[in-house]
Amino acid sequence: MSNRPKLSGRPAIPGYTQKPESTGSVPVWAIIAGVVVVIVIAAGIALGASGGDEKSAAGSKDSAQAADAAYGDKATSEFRPVKVDGEALPAFEQSEGDAAIGMAAPKLTGANFVNDPVTVGDGPAMVVFGAHWCPHCQREVPKLTQWIDGGLLPEGVSATLVSTGVKEDAGSEPPTAWVASTGWDDPVLVDSAQSDAATAYGLSGFPYFVFLDADGNVTHRASGELPQAQIEQYLSEIAPSAK
């Protein structure tokens, strides 16, 4: 149901003022026809708006329920301090000829939404950086969740989602609700307000992937929505059984 208040009585019709028949030069039937057309258009707009409100409200309700299930009564935060140990990776430009390949990834020490400790930098690992407002992340993270549930990760390889790039925008859900709605149940590192984690790993776009071998060295970096086959290839190269 729409949250908009119902209008009482007949809706106002722009550009139309009811007058006695004898004072107008326009035929009465034409005026009536115009009124009917305007009412029909207005009704269509109202129905469309109501449907959008219902859809938006339903989505928000689902996310709120997912957040309640994920965090319960625990206090949450969209930002957490992140400690960075080690040299920052260069800004990512493209996968081919990436200067970060072979570099030791800096270790990130922080926490998740409910302040449980989380670390990033130990391998073998897939690290995924996502932003709650990013439409590509909104599509990619739920797919990753399904793929991981279906056995995407080789044994011994971890996956961590880094929530970063937070925007306080009324048009998007907060990171807590968004991540909960994706079903992601692997570790989540919450970035600082200054995006220390994202900067340390050279993020330049969303979603952003960094793959680390057993020694914590970068094997691949990529940005954007990746096909499952490409992710599987990168993971196969860092899986313990690959050595």
Side-chain angles (χ1 to χ4, degrees), residues 126-148:
M126 175 178 69
V127 187
V128 185
F129 292 75
H132 64 115
W133 48 265
C134 166
H136 301 287
C137 303
Q138 291 167 2
R139 289 191 293 266
E140 187 77 334
V141 175
K143 286 194 297 185
L144 281 172
T145 299
Q146 293 177 355
W147 294 344
I148 290 173

Side-chain angles (χ1 to χ4, degrees), residues 40-238:
V40 170
I41 293 174
I45 293 174
L47 286 172
S50 174
D53 287 350
E54 289 176 357
K55 183 177 181 180
S56 176
S60 298
K61 183 178 179 181
D62 291 343
S63 297
Q65 291 175 340
D68 287 342
Y71 316 120
D73 296 331
K74 296 179 180 179
T76 61
S77 177
E78 314 296 349
F79 302 100
R80 295 289 182 190
V82 175
K83 181 183 177 184
V84 180
D85 293 313
E87 181 183 354
L89 302 178
F92 176 75
E93 295 181 359
Q94 59 182 12
S95 296
E96 186 176 352
D98 185 0
I101 303 302
M103 288 184 61
K107 178 165 287 190
L108 309 177
T109 305
N112 62 14
F113 291 119
V114 296
N115 210 27
D116 295 329
V118 177
T119 60
V120 172
D122 295 324
M126 175 178 69
V127 187
V128 185
F129 292 75
H132 64 115
W133 48 265
C134 166
H136 301 287
C137 303
Q138 291 167 2
R139 289 191 293 266
E140 187 77 334
V141 175
K143 286 194 297 185
L144 281 172
T145 299
Q146 293 177 355
W147 294 344
I148 290 173
D149 290 345
L152 174 72
L153 288 176
E155 186 175 354
V157 178
S158 66
T160 301
L161 175 65
V162 180
S163 172
T164 187
V166 177
K167 292 183 179 179
E168 296 182 7
D169 182 357
S172 60
E173 297 174 324
T176 46
W178 170 62
V179 173
S181 70
T182 67
W184 182 277
D185 56 7
D186 286 282
V188 178
L189 177 74
V190 177
D191 206 353
S192 66
Q194 295 75 33
S195 298
D196 290 320
T199 301
Y201 272 58
L203 181 147
S204 59
F206 294 103
Y208 177 56
F209 294 79
V210 181
F211 296 84
L212 308 178
D213 64 17
D215 297 320
N217 298 324
V218 178
T219 60
H220 294 281
R221 295 194 299 176
S223 183
E225 299 179 49
L226 303 183
Q228 183 176 357
Q230 184 176 355
I231 295 175
E232 289 177 343
Q233 175 61 38
Y234 292 163
L235 289 171
S236 69
E237 296 177 21
I238 63 175

Side-chain angles (χ1 to χ4, degrees), residues 4-20:
R4 298 179 179 177
K6 294 183 178 179
L7 298 176
S8 59
R10 176 172 158 179
I13 303 171
Y16 172 73
T17 302
Q18 189 172 10
K19 296 180 180 179

